[in-house]
Amino acid sequence: MKLVLGIDPGTAVTGFGVVALDGRVTTLVECGVIRTNARDPLPKRLHEVHQGVVELIARHRPDTISIEDVFYAKNVRTTVVLGHARGVILLAGQQAGLSIREYPPSEIKKAITGRGSATKEQVQFMVTRLLRLKSAPQPADAADGVAAALCACMSASLPKMPEFSLSALLAKAAQEKRR
Amino acid sequence: MKLVLGIDPGTAVTGFGVVALDGRVTTLVECGVIRTNARDPLPKRLHEVHQGVVELIARHRPDTISIEDVFYAKNVRTTVVLGHARGVILLAGQQAGLSIREYPPSEIKKAITGRGSATKEQVQFMVTRLLRLKSAPQPADAADGVAAALCACMSASLPKMPEFSLSALLAKAAQEKRR
C-alpha cells in the first residue's frame, strides 16, 4: 500500500487530500484545507502553510507528495505569490524526504476525467466516483487536493506518463542552455 | 548596534550580505552567495537555499532580514520560480522571528545611489564607498545582497542622507583622481 498526500497550493486556502493506493484501489484517508488570514503579512502566512503541511506529513507519513503546478493567472502578481506558497510546500516535502510529483492543473483534470479542460464540477463528480464517496469532498479546494493525490496514484499504477513537472522542465532548459 | 542580513533571492545564485549598523555607521560583516546546482530538481534547490539562510541566521543572529522583492522578468516562468525561492527565504526569516523588510529593486537602487534606475556598476561603486571597502563585493550577486542590507540600514537611520547622493560622490571621486 502507498500513501499519497495531494496539495492544491494557495496563500489564502491550501487544499489537501490523503489517498491510499492498494494495487489499483484508491481510498480517501483524510481531506481538508489549511486557511490563512488575508490580513496577516505574507511571511506569517507562508509559515502557517509550511507548518500545516509539516504536520500532515508527520501525522500520515505519506510516501509521495503530489502538488498542483502553478496556474498562470492573468494577474502575474497572483501567480508569483502562489509561487511563494508552492516554494514552502515543496520544501516541506523535500525536508521529509518524500517522493515529490508536480502536475499542471490540466494534467490532473485529464488523469481524472479524461479531459484536460474539464470543469470543476466534472472533476468533483469523478473524484467522488473514484473514491466511492457519498458526496464530493468539501470545500472545493479540498477536492482539488484530493484530485492531485489521485493523479499521482493513477500515474503510479500506469506505465509511464510524459513528465511535465516544473522542475523537470527547468532541468531540461538548463541543460539546453549549457549546450 | 543592529545587524541586518540582506538577501538577493535566486534559485541558481542567492546573494547575501551581513551589515552592522552602529548609529549612522555601517560596516560589512560578511557577504557571499548560496549556489545551487541547475541540474538538481527544484525542491532540492529550495531546500539548499532555505538551509543556507537558516545557517546564516544561526551564525550571525541578525535583528532584521531585508529581502529584494520579485523582479518582474519578461519570462513569467522565471519570475514564478524566483517566487518559490523568495517563499523559503521569507519562511526562514519568519521561523527565526526576525523583523522582515522587503524592497523592490528600484527602491534599493534609489536608497543607495539616489537613482532608482542606477546601473549595476553604480550600485557596486556606492556599496564600496558606503562600507569603505577596497573593492566591490564579489560576485555581483553578493553585492546585491549587501545592497539590500544597506537599504534597510538607511531606511532605519532616516531622515534622509543627502551626502550619499551618487552624483556628489562621483564628482568627488573624479576630483580626487585628478589630484
Side-chain angles (χ1 to χ4, degrees):
Chain A
M1 204 194 74
K2 289 223 162 197
L3 218 53
V4 179
L5 169 59
I7 305 267
D8 174 33
T11 38
V13 183
T14 290
F16 68 85
V18 181
V19 172
L21 172 67
D22 196 352
R24 284 193 154 201
V25 181
T26 48
T27 313
L28 182 61
V29 178
E30 185 191 338
C31 71
V33 294
I34 302 165
R35 259 181 227 283
T36 65
N37 189 336
R39 267 170 293 188
D40 284 338
L42 183 60
K44 182 163 188 282
R45 300 171 73 188
L46 292 173
H47 190 227
E48 286 166 2
V49 170
H50 179 258
Q51 200 52 36
V53 176
V54 164
E55 281 164 20
L56 279 171
I57 293 173
R59 191 153 78 244
H60 293 287
R61 309 200 158 273
D63 308 279
T64 299
I65 184 167
S66 172
I67 305 172
E68 187 167 318
D69 208 341
V70 167
F71 167 73
Y72 285 86
K74 270 184 195 159
N75 183 341
V76 180
R77 185 167 281 276
T78 307
T79 313
V80 170
V81 173
L82 188 58
H84 285 62
R86 280 192 93 249
V88 303
I89 295 166
L90 289 170
L91 176 69
Q94 181 73 24
Q95 286 172 324
L98 305 187
S99 141
I100 299 175
R101 304 291 176 81
E102 303 173 65
Y103 302 101
S106 62
E107 199 176 331
I108 295 177
K109 286 178 184 170
K110 189 164 188 195
I112 289 180
T113 69
R115 274 183 56 214
S117 59
T119 64
K120 244 179 169 19
E121 290 69 30
Q122 289 172 327
V123 173
Q124 289 183 1
F125 175 81
M126 282 305 297
V127 163
T128 312
R129 278 307 271 268
L130 289 166
L131 292 166
R132 303 166 308 283
L133 307 173
K134 287 191 180 150
S135 61
Q138 287 296 330
D141 297 277
D144 290 339
V146 175
L150 273 176
C151 179
C153 291
M154 291 163 92
S155 5
S157 63
L158 281 175
K160 271 193 219 144
M161 300 266 287
E163 189 72 74
F164 288 127
S165 84
L166 181 62
S167 38
L169 273 174
L170 281 170
K172 206 179 146 199
Q175 270 189 347
E176 278 165 9
K177 218 177 183 181
R178 224 170 291 128
R179 271 173 211 156
Chain B
M1 204 194 75
K2 287 224 164 198
L3 217 54
V4 179
L5 169 60
I7 305 266
D8 174 33
T11 38
V13 183
T14 290
F16 68 86
V18 181
V19 172
L21 173 67
D22 197 351
R24 281 190 157 204
V25 182
T26 47
T27 312
L28 182 62
V29 179
E30 185 189 338
C31 71
V33 294
I34 302 165
R35 259 181 227 286
T36 65
N37 190 335
R39 265 170 295 187
D40 284 338
L42 182 60
K44 183 164 186 284
R45 299 171 73 188
L46 293 172
H47 189 227
E48 286 166 2
V49 170
H50 179 258
Q51 199 53 35
V53 176
V54 164
E55 280 164 19
L56 280 171
I57 292 173
R59 190 154 78 245
H60 293 287
R61 308 200 160 273
D63 306 282
T64 299
I65 184 166
S66 171
I67 305 171
E68 188 167 318
D69 210 341
V70 166
F71 167 73
Y72 285 85
K74 271 184 193 158
N75 183 340
V76 179
R77 186 169 281 275
T78 307
T79 312
V80 171
V81 173
L82 188 59
H84 285 62
R86 281 192 92 250
V88 303
I89 295 165
L90 289 171
L91 177 69
Q94 181 73 23
Q95 286 172 323
L98 305 187
S99 140
I100 299 175
R101 305 289 177 82
E102 302 175 63
Y103 301 102
S106 62
E107 201 176 328
I108 295 178
K109 286 179 185 169
K110 189 161 189 199
I112 290 181
T113 70
R115 274 184 54 215
S117 60
T119 64
K120 244 179 169 22
E121 291 70 29
Q122 289 172 327
V123 172
Q124 288 183 1
F125 174 83
M126 283 303 299
V127 164
T128 312
R129 274 313 268 264
L130 289 167
L131 293 166
R132 304 166 307 283
L133 306 173
K134 288 194 178 144
S135 59
Q138 288 296 331
D141 296 278
D144 290 339
V146 176
L150 274 176
C151 178
C153 290
M154 291 163 92
S155 5
S157 65
L158 285 174
K160 275 185 217 149
M161 310 176 83
E163 67 269 30
F164 286 141
S165 88
L166 179 66
S167 43
L169 271 173
L170 281 171
K172 207 178 146 199
Q175 268 187 350
E176 277 164 11
K177 221 177 183 178
R178 229 171 285 128
R179 271 173 212 155

